[in-house]
Amino acid sequence: MTTSKLRILHLVNNFGVGGLESVIRQMALNSSGCVQPYVCVLTMAGHFAQGVAAAGVALHHVDRAKKQKGMRVTLRELVDLIQDWNIDVIHCHDMSSWFYGAILKKMVGKPTVVTKHGNMEKWHWKTVLTSKILSLFTDRIVAVSPEVKADLVKRQFVNDKNIDVIYNGIDLTPFDCPISKQEAKARLGIPENTFVTGTVTRFYPVKNIELQVEAIANLKDRIQDLRHLIVAPLATDYGREIAENIKQRGLDKYICLLGYREDIPQLLQAMDLFVLTSISEGTSMALIEAIAAHLPVVVSNVGGNPNLVNEDVNGFLFDLDKKNDFEEKVFNLYQDAEKLKIFSSKQKDVAVLFSGEGMMRGYLEVYNSICRVG
């Protein structure tokens, strides 16, 4: 094992706001004393990229789309960057960065690791072939849950001996929020006795936000004081469609679109119940944060969600194919204040399994192993 800090280049196509981006931000801002992080963004650098750079982490933005840089120019720029920063390991986080990382491995001889943050949403032979070929030029692949690993092996034909499972993790400290639930609601102009459900997400179809809107439309007459918070940037066509749907149906008095926010721990404290309706998930950072905030949860029974939620112990899992299952489980918890308290009391023990320290230890082992081989 090397005694100096390992210089890790986190390579990603877009660095805006989301779960994948949260993992990179966590690794960049809370790296261990054995790792020196660097970040390179190929296309879009958004809120999280700005925050990481402002914190003093070296960040380079290729901006290949806006500046119309072709593959050859981009590769030359990346080679120069790797040499200037004296990078030890190239860590890729999506298909685009994985493509470049595999080529860079051959060009500069640096070991390469890729994190697969979720399952392949739709089977397509081009995606399968690409994953298989890229895996042959990659030292290690990290899946964020056993379900993601199984997807890589069974549907993308990647060798399971080359795959490690490392759960996503977060810094748990900010989610031990010092303000009361009453104060957190008051800051949002919400009366104390209001039953507040909510989610932290992105406006992409896979997040299935329309199911939440439909449930609130049905529950508003069953729950006397109901408010639903959606914390997500609105700058997508899907987000604008959801916002227009909410307005046209007169649901804007029940559903609050809060946009992008940095004060996630305080917003979670204002909620009585956290929900996640995704069609597909790896290991959801938003769900980990909700559990760290000791919130009871109702989440879809997909991907890595069952690894965080033990049915009827710290939350409910609902079946996407079962009509009204989500709505009924939310309503059942509204009616059962004692169960809400029980679920909340179980979350501390779950949260410690998904700490940022644990995640970083796992990645450090991977980095050291591929550096020894390299």
Side-chain angles (χ1 to χ4, degrees):
M1 183 184 297
T2 181
T3 56
S4 59
K5 284 188 176 183
L6 285 171
R7 294 170 172 258
I8 310 300
L9 176 64
H10 293 283
L11 188 62
V12 65
N13 191 44
N14 297 318
F15 197 12
V17 176
L20 178 159
E21 296 86 347
S22 292
V23 173
I24 299 172
R25 181 172 67 168
Q26 173 74 22
M27 297 181 75
L29 298 181
N30 299 284
S31 59
S32 70
C34 301
V35 171
Q36 179 66 49
Y38 299 80
V39 177
C40 178
V41 183
L42 295 174
T43 302
M44 189 277 290
H47 286 291
F48 283 5
Q50 295 163 11
V52 165
V57 177
L59 184 144
H60 179 77
H61 185 196
V62 175
D63 204 3
R64 58 181 179 146
K66 184 177 181 179
K67 296 181 180 178
Q68 298 182 326
K69 296 177 182 178
M71 187 172 72
R72 182 176 297 180
V73 173
T74 299
L75 283 169
R76 184 69 260 167
E77 189 171 333
L78 292 172
V79 168
D80 290 343
L81 190 70
I82 289 167
Q83 292 174 342
D84 289 345
W85 282 347
N86 194 23
I87 295 299
D88 296 304
V89 176
I90 303 167
H91 189 159
C92 311
H93 290 271
D94 51 35
M95 287 299 292
S96 293
S97 62
W98 192 10
F99 174 79
Y100 279 96
I103 298 175
L104 288 167
K105 175 178 170 60
K106 300 298 291 183
M107 293 180 69
V108 298
K110 299 296 182 180
T112 302
V113 58
V114 62
T115 296
K116 293 294 290 182
H117 292 269
N119 295 334
M120 179 173 58
E121 291 177 20
K122 294 182 180 180
W123 192 94
H124 193 284
W125 70 267
K126 289 184 179 179
T127 305
V128 172
L129 181 61
T130 300
S131 295
K132 180 62 178 177
I133 292 173
L134 293 178
S135 72
L136 300 176
F137 299 94
T138 306
D139 292 275
R140 297 300 296 173
I141 299 170
V142 173
V144 299
S145 73
E147 292 76 14
V148 171
K149 178 176 179 177
D151 185 71
L152 283 165
V153 174
K154 294 177 181 178
R155 292 206 297 159
Q156 301 180 60
F157 308 108
V158 175
N159 188 340
D160 66 341
K161 294 181 180 179
N162 196 37
I163 306 173
D164 297 293
V165 175
I166 299 175
Y167 288 110
N168 291 339
I170 64 169
D171 178 6
L172 301 175
T173 306
F175 296 92
D176 188 13
C177 192
I179 67 172
S180 68
K181 191 167 291 294
Q182 178 182 358
E183 183 181 348
K185 288 181 178 181
R187 289 183 181 183
L188 295 172
I190 299 173
E192 178 182 358
N193 294 327
T194 303
F195 185 67
V196 180
T197 59
T199 193
V200 180
T201 186
R202 295 177 298 157
F203 278 111
Y204 287 103
V206 71
K207 298 301 181 180
N208 198 19
I209 306 301
E210 58 267 32
L211 179 61
Q212 297 177 30
V213 175
E214 195 61 36
I216 296 301
N218 295 332
L219 287 169
K220 64 182 176 59
D221 295 324
R222 303 173 69 188
I223 298 176
Q224 185 175 4
D225 297 301
L226 174 65
R227 196 71 58 87
H228 184 62
L229 310 180
I230 300 178
V231 186
L234 281 166
T236 67
D237 289 340
Y238 178 67
R240 287 184 281 269
E241 288 173 9
I242 293 290
E244 183 62 25
N245 182 29
I246 291 170
K247 183 178 180 180
Q248 288 183 356
R249 298 175 68 177
L251 296 173
D252 39 351
K253 66 181 290 187
Y254 303 100
I255 301 176
C256 302
L257 299 176
L258 298 180
Y260 171 76
R261 298 285 291 257
E262 289 281 358
D263 56 339
I264 300 300
Q266 290 75 29
L267 294 176
L268 291 172
Q269 183 67 6
M271 299 177 192
D272 298 294
L273 176 66
F274 181 87
V275 303
L276 196 67
T277 52
S278 305
I279 297 168
S280 175
E281 280 289 351
T283 296
S284 168
M285 295 291 278
L287 180 53
I288 296 173
E289 290 174 349
I291 288 172
H294 303 167
L295 276 176
V297 299
V298 175
V299 304
S300 49
N301 189 11
V302 299
N305 289 348
N307 297 317
L308 287 92
V309 180
N310 191 353
E311 175 69 10
D312 207 17
V313 175
N314 69 319
F316 282 142
L317 296 161
F318 74 90
D319 188 345
L320 285 164
D321 296 325
K322 187 176 179 182
K323 185 176 175 61
N324 298 329
D325 194 29
F326 170 63
E327 178 184 324
E328 290 305 316
K329 284 183 174 173
V330 170
F331 186 69
N332 288 344
L333 278 176
Y334 162 73
Q335 290 187 306
D336 194 341
E338 186 61 31
K339 181 151 285 188
L340 281 170
K341 291 179 181 178
I342 291 171
F343 284 178
S344 177
S345 70
K346 301 294 185 181
Q347 300 298 34
K348 184 175 182 180
D349 291 338
V350 178
V352 296
L353 303 175
F354 299 91
S355 70
E357 293 85 351
M359 179 180 71
M360 288 306 302
R361 282 195 299 271
Y363 277 108
L364 184 58
E365 290 178 8
V366 170
Y367 295 152
N368 281 322
S369 69
I370 62 177
C371 283
R372 284 196 296 267
V373 172

